[in-house]
Amino acid sequence: MTTGTDTTNRPAAASGTFRIGGDLEVHRLGYGTMQLTGPGVWGPPKDHDEAIRVLKRAVELGVDFFDTADSYGPYVAEDLLREALHPYGDDVVIATKAGLTRTGPNEWPPVGRPEYLRQEAEMSLRRLGLERIDLFQLHRIDPKVPLEDQVGELKKLQDEGKIRHIGLSEVSVDEVKAAQEVATIVSVQNLYNLQKRDAEELLDWSEQQGIGFIPWFPLATGGLTGEDSPLTEIAERKGATPAQLALAWLLKRSPVMLPIPGTSSVDHLEDNLQGATIELTDDEFAELSKLHG
């Protein structure tokens, strides 16, 4: 449902709300921090002050769900969040992840040993300045470590009050079901956008279960927003930008969808968030849906 909040000045509020885990209410259009880092998701941003402005502006525009990870930088994105937003507003929800290590730009080896996941959770708590992480996600399942050991460690952290809810990233329906034998899974985060829909089965199942679905690369990292975008013609007709249409399509696709478009530019942030205010007709949604890549 859409809240009665002022959506002119706080467009993210127009995306409606979703309760992560049944008790963490957030606006469905959030913000992902990966693009705040350097090339290859490695090192600091090229413009530190703009990165801080982006995070502060996101809150002003109604964003209350921020997705990050220890591996973004590594550690850079979490540090920026704390610098920009701490002490956090009561309504700000920060989701972070662990389970991918960094051996260089664009390199992401998975490590799911329980002691490593615990270390990273403890370090994220310290970096973010939190006593409890609202949503802690296993960034990837490590094939070298039993799934029950990886999720089991997160369950221990949850039982200790250090994390509130547990999520998974890049998983299948069967993997979520297996994880649910160990702990309650409240969210999944898979690659999904208008042109890349391999996770359709997981999305539909998540909707049936009331599990939040966080699509990463919701704009195909610019592939849906450039001059050659397949959305350009429809966007001009609608008086919107391709990015706004791509996000509006995601929001209409499912009530459990929680897109987290990221950017290092305040201008792009403001443009993206207006996507929450665009209402697609069923015919427009169907036309966009035909652009499957």
Side-chain angles (χ1 to χ4, degrees):
M1 66 173 194
T2 300
T3 65
T5 311
D6 171 19
T7 56
T8 304
N9 296 319
R10 302 179 78 238
S15 63
T17 59
F18 178 78
R19 290 182 182 270
I20 298 170
D23 64 358
L24 264 182
E25 187 171 67
V26 296
H27 292 136
R28 291 173 56 213
L29 188 55
Y31 175 81
T33 62
M34 193 172 79
Q35 292 189 38
L36 291 181
T37 62
V41 199
W42 186 259
K46 62 182 179 184
D47 188 337
H48 171 273
D49 292 348
E50 180 74 353
I52 297 298
R53 281 192 291 270
V54 165
L55 292 168
K56 290 179 178 293
R57 184 67 177 136
V59 171
E60 292 173 356
L61 295 173
V63 172
D64 52 16
F65 179 53
F66 291 85
D67 180 85
T68 191
D70 64 344
S71 55
Y72 296 166
Y75 313 132
V76 170
E78 289 184 334
D79 286 340
L80 288 168
L81 270 169
R82 178 173 184 164
E83 181 182 347
L85 303 182
H86 192 276
Y88 308 105
D90 291 342
D91 59 343
V92 169
V93 171
I94 294 179
T96 193
K97 315 177 201 71
L100 290 179
T101 54
R102 301 304 306 278
T103 52
N106 293 314
E107 295 178 4
W108 310 76
V111 173
R113 293 196 308 275
E115 66 273 20
Y116 176 74
L117 296 177
R118 173 171 290 271
Q119 168 190 295
E120 292 307 288
E122 293 282 5
M123 297 299 284
S124 287
L125 282 166
R126 188 193 301 178
R127 274 191 300 274
L128 290 165
L130 292 168
E131 294 183 3
R132 180 177 66 172
I133 294 166
D134 282 329
L135 176 60
F136 195 80
Q137 304 157 92
L138 182 62
H139 211 158
R140 288 294 184 280
I141 294 173
D142 183 348
K144 302 186 188 76
V145 179
L147 174 62
E148 59 267 27
D149 291 353
Q150 298 174 66
V151 177
E153 193 65 29
L154 302 191
K155 177 69 165 66
K156 289 177 185 175
L157 287 160
Q158 185 179 48
D159 291 344
E160 293 165 17
K162 292 175 179 176
I163 61 179
R164 183 168 178 174
H165 291 300
I166 299 169
L168 302 174
S169 181
E170 276 309 304
V171 285
S172 66
V173 171
D174 286 344
E175 286 170 333
V176 183
K177 288 180 178 177
Q180 285 180 322
E181 297 291 319
V182 182
T184 300
I185 305 301
V186 304
S187 69
V188 292
Q189 182 165 166
N190 276 46
L191 173 60
Y192 187 86
N193 56 54
L194 186 54
Q195 287 191 307
K196 185 78 172 168
R197 302 185 218 163
D198 297 354
E200 205 100 76
E201 179 189 3
L202 178 65
L203 171 58
D204 291 338
W205 181 81
S206 297
E207 185 175 326
Q208 293 166 8
Q209 303 294 316
I211 291 173
F213 185 96
I214 306 168
W216 60 274
F217 283 175
L219 300 176
T221 315
L224 291 170
T225 61
E227 290 183 9
D228 298 329
S229 169
L231 307 184
T232 302
E233 182 189 342
I234 306 171
E236 288 176 354
R237 225 187 302 148
K238 189 74 174 172
T241 66
Q244 291 165 0
L245 271 195
L247 292 169
W249 182 87
L250 285 171
L251 290 167
K252 189 174 176 69
R253 171 63 180 83
S254 171
V256 303
M257 188 81 78
L258 304 171
I260 48 166
T263 177
S264 57
S265 154
V266 169
D267 287 346
H268 285 161
L269 172 76
E270 293 175 345
D271 180 75
N272 287 346
L273 292 180
Q274 287 298 326
T277 69
I278 293 172
E279 295 186 21
L280 298 175
T281 66
D282 291 343
D283 287 346
E284 289 167 339
F285 179 81
E287 184 179 6
L288 288 166
S289 297
K290 292 175 185 173
L291 298 175
H292 195 298

